[in-house]
């Protein structure tokens, strides 16, 4: 059996970066940048007032109080276009451009007006309350690197940079196929020997959250020709995800259907728990990732292999999911030959450190345990017995992107 790391490397090596497309800035949040976003203007475009008050020449009021003559005003969206002379001041509002010759702002609370005579009650300092030209960004600045997933904050900045369109990578088109006579969709009548299919729904949500465009096929019954036809349709996408039927039993028809469609099997077993029967196959530019049918196995394997594959197509590294240290809350027995992803509860202790407490039952059919977990304890193959308080590695599920 392949290790998780080797299987991950094989999967991401099989994918290429998808081409770019232009999208409206209003639709760019959550998309991955393909071409650097370059500011088309300088912001602020000139020195602006950061406060309501009066624009002055600081040298005119070396000490307070001092009186200046009001000669005009500079509201936001307007300006005072004369050179400010000695002894003069201009009423200015937040966002108003600084008159030529002025070098400070006195806030209105520090003044007293008597008609055109403005008494300055606090001596101004040069550059006080002024937003200098280019404080935010300058024309030609590139604030986002290629491969960045754009947040709403990024989109706001790009809009301010006067960018109505951005070049982003096309969303990976991911087909999702569940197979098995025992499956029904949520809301359908559930027969005596049937179960509700949840894995396809979950994978579609994950694909969408990770930046892809999912297509959820109808459940394929255990019919070889039907499964072949669905695989042929799924192969038109950037990636086909199959759920269940990937082993070699009499009722596991996916591998046979893939071979009939001309796919070559890269691997179909990996040394991990949950998720041993993971499959990867390819034909020309078509790729198939076969996830285990048990819903917990599906979601853990999706995190380790589907997420990096989507990232790779979006021009990102596609690294294996990152781990971080935490302290064990209980003793653990020695692990066997499979890398283990143990559903757990993560808490923060009084000293700020993280403590991980594995759930006592880890059956891969139990979605309730996964739903109540906020971490996965990662145990390497043949990991020795561990005692309470030892440092181990965990995946913090609460801080994952994409709504996992």
């Amino acid at each position: 059996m392949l290790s998780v790391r080797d299987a991950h490397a094989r999967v991401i090596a099989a994918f290429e970066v998808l081409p770019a497309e232009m999208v409206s800035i209003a639709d760019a949040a959550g998309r991955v940048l393909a071409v650097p976003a370059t500011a088309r203007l300088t912001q602020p475009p000139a020195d602006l007032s950061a406060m309501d008050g009066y624009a002055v020449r600081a040298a005119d009021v070396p000490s307070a109080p001092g009186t200046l003559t009001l000669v005009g005003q500079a509201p936001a969206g307007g300006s005072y276009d004369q050179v400010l002379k000695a002894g003069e001041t201009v009423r200015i509002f937040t966002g108003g451009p600084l008159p030529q010759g002025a070098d400070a702002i006195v806030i209105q609370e520090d003044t007293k007006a008597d008609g055109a005579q403005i008494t300055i009650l606090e001596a101004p300092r040069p550059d006080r309350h002024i937003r200098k030209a280019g404080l935010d960004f300058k024309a030609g600045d590139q604030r986002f690197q290629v491969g960045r997933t754009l947040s709403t904050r990024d989109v706001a900045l790009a809009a301010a940079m006067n960018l109505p369109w951005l070049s982003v990578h096309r969303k990976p088109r991911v087909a999702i196929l569940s197979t098995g006579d025992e499956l029904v969709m949520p809301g359908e009548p559930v027969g005596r020997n049937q179960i509700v299919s949840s894995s396809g729904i979950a994978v579609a949500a994950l694909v969408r959250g990770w930046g892809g465009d999912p297509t959820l096929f109808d459940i394929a019954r255990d019919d070889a020709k039907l499964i072949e036809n669905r695989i042929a349709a799924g192969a038109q996408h950037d990636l086909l995800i199959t759920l269940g039927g990937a082993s070699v039993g009499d009722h596991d028809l996916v591998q046979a259907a893939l071979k009939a469609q001309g796919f070559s099997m890269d691997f179909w077993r990996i040394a991990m728990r949950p998720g041993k029967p993971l499959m990867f196959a390819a034909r020309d530019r078509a790729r198939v990732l076969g996830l285990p049918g048990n819903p917990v196995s599906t979601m853990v394997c999706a995190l380790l292999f589907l997420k990096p594959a989507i990232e790779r197509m979006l021009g990102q590294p596609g690294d294996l999911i990152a781990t971080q240290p935490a302290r064990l809350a209980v003793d653990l027995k020695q692990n066997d030959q499979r890398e283990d992803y143990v559903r757990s509860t993560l808490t923060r202790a009084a000293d700020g450190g993280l403590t991980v407490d594995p759930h006592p039952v880890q059956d891969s059919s139990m979605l309730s345990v996964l739903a109540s977990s906020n971490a996965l304890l990662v145990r390497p193959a043949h990991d020795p017995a561990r005692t309470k308080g030892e440092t181990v590695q965990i995946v913090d599920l609460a801080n994952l992107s994409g709504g996992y």
Side-chain angles (χ1 to χ4, degrees):
M1 291 187 290
L2 277 179
S3 69
V4 170
R5 189 166 300 278
D6 287 343
H8 166 267
R10 289 195 192 184
V11 169
I12 64 168
F15 291 93
E16 297 178 352
V17 179
L18 294 176
E21 62 183 10
M22 298 298 291
V23 298
S24 164
I25 187 66
D27 298 322
R31 303 298 297 271
V32 177
L33 197 65
V35 175
T38 304
R40 299 170 62 187
L41 48 71
T42 294
Q43 180 64 28
D47 292 353
L48 305 179
S49 177
M51 303 290 285
D52 291 349
Y54 294 86
V56 302
R57 296 166 15 131
D60 287 346
V61 190
S63 61
T67 301
L68 302 175
T69 300
L70 182 66
V71 294
Q73 64 177 359
S79 62
Y80 179 79
D81 296 327
Q82 308 299 316
V83 176
L84 195 66
K85 299 176 182 176
E88 295 180 339
T89 186
V90 167
R91 182 76 166 106
I92 199 166
F93 299 88
T94 302
L98 201 68
Q100 186 178 350
D103 62 1
I105 302 295
V106 179
I107 61 175
Q108 59 188 19
E109 293 88 340
D110 292 334
T111 65
K112 182 178 180 181
D114 183 10
Q117 299 301 300
I118 308 300
T119 299
I120 308 300
L121 302 177
E122 182 175 327
R125 300 198 306 269
D127 297 329
R128 178 76 167 170
H129 302 309
I130 294 174
R131 296 172 182 157
K132 304 296 287 186
L135 174 67
D136 201 356
F137 52 82
K138 296 180 174 62
D141 282 355
Q142 293 182 347
R143 292 300 178 94
F144 311 118
Q145 298 298 316
V146 169
R148 181 185 182 94
T149 300
L150 297 168
S151 67
T152 53
R153 290 165 291 147
D154 296 335
V155 168
L157 176 55
M161 292 162 66
N162 198 25
L163 298 172
W165 300 86
L166 290 176
S167 178
V168 297
H169 288 292
R170 176 174 64 78
K171 290 184 177 183
R173 297 180 300 112
V174 180
I176 302 161
L177 173 62
S178 298
T179 64
D181 289 339
E182 73 278 13
L183 299 178
V184 296
M185 289 298 290
E188 293 181 346
V190 182
R192 177 181 177 186
N193 299 311
Q194 293 182 310
I195 59 173
V196 176
S197 176
S198 58
S199 295
I201 303 294
V203 171
L206 290 173
V207 168
R208 192 176 295 111
W210 290 334
D213 182 13
T215 298
L216 183 59
F217 287 174
D218 291 337
I219 295 169
R221 303 305 165 194
D222 287 329
D223 178 277
K225 192 61 180 178
L226 175 60
I227 293 175
E228 281 188 41
N229 290 339
R230 294 285 173 80
I231 287 173
Q236 305 305 309
H237 295 69
D238 299 305
L239 174 61
L240 168 62
I241 300 295
T242 63
L243 300 170
S247 297
V248 291
D250 292 341
H251 296 284
D252 294 320
L253 304 177
V254 173
Q255 278 202 44
L258 286 168
K259 291 175 182 177
Q261 289 285 321
F263 282 85
S264 297
M265 201 66 53
D266 189 327
F267 61 83
W268 68 275
R269 291 191 304 171
I270 56 174
M272 68 173 289
R273 182 192 302 107
K276 176 182 174 183
L278 184 96
M279 177 188 67
F280 189 58
R283 185 195 68 199
D284 301 324
R285 298 181 65 84
R287 303 288 182 267
V288 178
L289 182 62
L291 301 180
N294 278 338
V296 174
S297 301
T298 296
M299 293 194 69
V300 172
C301 288
L303 182 62
L304 297 177
F305 303 102
L306 174 56
K307 185 175 187 287
I310 291 174
E311 290 174 349
R312 192 77 160 193
M313 288 187 276
L314 291 172
Q316 298 172 325
D319 294 333
L320 197 58
I321 194 71
T323 63
Q324 63 186 85
R327 295 189 297 255
L328 264 177
V330 295
D331 296 340
L332 291 177
K333 295 180 181 179
Q334 180 178 350
N335 194 24
D336 61 16
Q337 71 274 17
R338 290 195 284 170
E339 188 166 311
D340 208 351
Y341 289 79
V342 185
R343 285 154 283 166
S344 306
T345 299
L346 190 66
T347 56
R348 190 170 294 279
D351 63 1
L354 295 173
T355 300
V356 60
D357 188 4
H359 287 283
V361 181
Q362 293 287 320
D363 190 283
S364 61
S365 68
M366 296 178 63
L367 274 173
S368 60
V369 176
L370 180 62
S372 63
S373 299
N374 60 357
L376 296 174
L377 166 61
V378 183
R379 299 199 69 193
H382 306 292
D383 191 41
R386 301 286 181 178
T387 57
K388 179 179 178 179
E390 277 196 69
T391 298
V392 293
Q393 292 296 309
I394 59 99
V395 175
D396 186 350
L397 299 179
N399 287 330
L400 293 179
S401 63
Y404 193 87

